[in-house]
Amino acid sequence: MSEQAPLPPEGTRGRQVRDRDRAFMRWMTRSQLRVMRATGGRLLARMGGHPVLALTTTGWRSGREFSTPVIGIADGDDWLVVASHGGAVSNPRWLRNVVSNPQVRVTVGAGQPVTMRAHILPPEERAEWWPRLAGAYPPYATMQGRTDRELAVVRLTRGAGQT
């Protein structure tokens, strides 16, 4: 696996995420994660026919752990996730966290957390995967159309020596 790609640039066109929007999104994601955990992954754990993963990253500035629900598209034992942020101008905060510290934990449904390595796909590999991802979850194409920021695609892989 090659070296981690830098944080993709932010856009100039797309939805602006204001502080009150960010607070509401934080409340919604925490609520979704609580429901997923409380029901053993039976409720709110699928979107568009795909599992919603609980992606736990380490804050790039604080060092604290943060969990975010993301749609996972399976590729063998790996997962592909899109840093869509709903088509916003800015990258989601979890993306900055994985650039800073690519070791993450992924929980699927009621399963046990698995330590994985997050890797932003380079442009050539992203171009190869994008049609498949947009086909698997059509709202991705809509979100990409809302912004001039290229939505990053992140591969989550079990690393050597990780559980």
Side-chain angles (χ1 to χ4, degrees), residues 26-158:
R26 194 169 34 248
W27 178 82
M28 287 294 295
T29 60
R30 287 178 183 160
S31 297
Q32 181 176 5
L33 290 170
R34 277 195 293 276
V35 169
M36 287 169 53
R37 288 176 182 137
T39 65
R42 289 185 307 277
L43 294 177
L44 301 179
R46 294 194 72 76
M47 192 171 242
H50 302 284
V52 175
L53 315 176
L55 176 66
T56 303
T57 62
T58 302
W60 66 279
R61 195 169 36 195
S62 69
R64 292 185 6 220
E65 289 190 338
F66 296 94
S67 292
T68 305
V70 293
I71 296 170
I73 309 291
D75 180 35
D77 289 336
D78 294 353
W79 292 101
L80 293 165
V81 296
V82 176
S84 63
H85 208 201
V89 167
S90 57
N91 291 307
R93 290 186 173 179
W94 65 261
L95 188 62
R96 181 181 298 268
N97 293 347
V98 301
V99 167
S100 174
N101 182 355
Q103 185 169 308
V104 300
R105 281 196 329 274
V106 175
T107 307
V108 183
Q112 292 298 310
V114 176
T115 300
M116 302 187 92
R117 184 165 185 82
H119 176 75
I120 299 172
L121 297 185
E124 316 76 48
E125 198 173 345
R126 183 206 181 271
E128 176 187 327
W129 274 99
W130 185 254
R132 290 187 250 178
L133 295 170
Y137 188 66
Y140 284 148
T142 303
M143 289 181 244
Q144 181 62 81
R146 290 181 183 153
T147 183
D148 57 351
R149 169 179 69 87
E150 186 172 84
L151 305 183
V153 176
V154 178
R155 177 177 292 277
L156 305 172
T157 308
R158 285 185 192 241

